[in-house]
Amino acid sequence: MTQILQKLGMPAPASAHAPGIDDFIGYVHLLMLILFVGWLGYYLLALVRFRKSASPKADYTGVKSNMSTYLEIGVAVVEAVLLVGFAVPLWARAVEDFPVVKGDPKTDPIEVQIIGQQFKWSGHYAGPDNKWGKQEVASASATNPFGLVADDAAGKDDVVCALGEPFKLPVGRAVICRISSMDVIHSFKIPSMRVTQDAIPGMTIPAHFIPTKTGKYSITCAQLCGSGHSVMRGDFEVVTAAEYEAWYAEKAKSGAGGFE
Ligand SMILES: [Cu+2]
């Protein structure tokens, strides 16, 4: 199913859960295609068969065959299979597989705070000390979207990639994005990872995935959020663990997340 979707323009899947989502999307579209072709065929048949010249008088007897009932039951059964066999297990796995933070920086999931603002995405990591810098609403500004307090010791090594600056993630390790918004409702979408989560002001909502392929990937906004919505994009790169560690250590040196 994944190959067919790629031929139709879907980006290649790059996360552990992506093939399951692709199968589900594919089968739903297949059902819709069958229904579309079936209804169109029936419509054309009705136009020809019940044309005025062939049926000058209305027939009050109606249809005797039970075919339409069987077809309806068939469609309902397929829809039930899609819901119970695909959608529910996918959601259950997303909930059950939520990565656990055990306190070991080498194997723990990578946690990134993500914030959307008109019209950029920003990312924030705790830094090598594994402690988030102090954040407060009063310090937040257009260029300091996470509201990092400049003189906080825990924040000195925080890694911030603000306003669309690309960030990096290691391949094969779980990622938890804690997503919020600074202004209006946005939606954090990584098409290649098959991840979409609304970013809502006043809320922090987690989304998780495991990148399975190195490469450069785009983040887009999937919620109409203003005049710059179409250009609200960000980039990140999935790299090897060694490349990630080197980049992380280097970024951590810029101090206070690079903000004043
Ligand atoms: Cu947006």
Side-chain angles (χ1 to χ4, degrees):
M1 196 52 85
T2 294
Q3 282 88 343
I4 297 171
L5 292 180
Q6 277 179 63
K7 287 213 171 81
L8 293 170
M10 281 272 271
S15 70
H17 71 276
I21 303 264
D22 282 9
D23 283 347
F24 180 53
I25 291 174
Y27 293 132
V28 167
H29 280 76
L30 193 61
L31 173 66
M32 291 303 128
L33 181 70
I34 291 167
L35 290 181
F36 176 73
V37 171
W39 277 114
L40 194 68
Y42 178 72
Y43 172 67
L44 294 175
L45 176 83
L47 279 184
V48 175
R49 191 151 167 212
F50 305 116
R51 67 190 186 279
K52 192 179 174 190
S53 59
S55 345
K57 277 198 169 178
D59 174 3
Y60 296 104
T61 319
V63 183
K64 295 255 172 55
S65 137
N66 287 322
M67 182 57 90
S68 63
T69 311
Y70 297 147
L71 283 173
E72 285 295 334
I73 292 171
V75 171
V77 167
V78 174
E79 286 173 348
V81 168
L82 285 172
L83 183 67
V84 178
F86 288 84
V88 172
L90 272 174
W91 186 249
R93 211 180 314 150
V95 173
E96 279 167 14
D97 291 354
F98 195 91
V100 184
V101 181
K102 291 178 180 146
D104 179 356
K106 289 272 175 238
T107 55
D108 268 353
I110 308 283
E111 286 190 89
V112 193
Q113 290 184 2
I114 299 281
I115 204 159
Q117 70 198 91
Q118 292 172 319
F119 297 96
K120 298 276 185 209
W121 292 105
S122 301
H124 172 210
Y125 304 64
D129 68 354
N130 226 11
K131 284 189 193 131
W132 298 99
K134 194 175 169 199
Q135 293 167 272
E136 55 181 31
V137 172
S139 297
S141 67
T143 53
N144 182 8
F146 296 102
L148 281 163
V149 177
D151 56 2
D152 180 59
K156 290 287 178 205
D157 67 342
D158 281 21
V159 170
V160 175
C161 297
L163 310 174
E165 185 193 339
F167 56 89
K168 299 196 182 191
L169 291 170
V171 70
R173 197 151 147 199
V175 181
I176 303 173
C177 293
R178 301 198 179 274
I179 300 155
S180 192
S181 167
M182 205 173 174
D183 37 46
V184 300
I185 297 175
H186 300 277
S187 188
F188 179 74
K189 185 178 186 82
I190 316 173
S192 303
M193 302 291 160
R194 310 291 191 261
V195 166
T196 308
Q197 172 58 57
D198 276 3
I200 312 222
M203 291 177 81
T204 302
I205 307 172
H208 65 95
F209 61 96
I210 303 172
T212 51
K213 275 187 210 162
T214 57
K216 288 186 175 157
Y217 300 101
S218 292
I219 304 164
T220 59
C221 181
Q223 181 65 260
L224 187 58
C225 60
S227 60
H229 163 68
S230 63
V231 293
M232 181 167 171
R233 54 167 295 179
D235 295 288
F236 69 97
E237 204 176 336
V238 174
V239 295
T240 62
E243 273 177 84
Y244 171 76
E245 292 302 336
W247 170 82
Y248 197 55
E250 190 57 37
K251 282 290 285 180
K253 285 183 196 156
S254 52
F259 287 107
E260 287 310 317

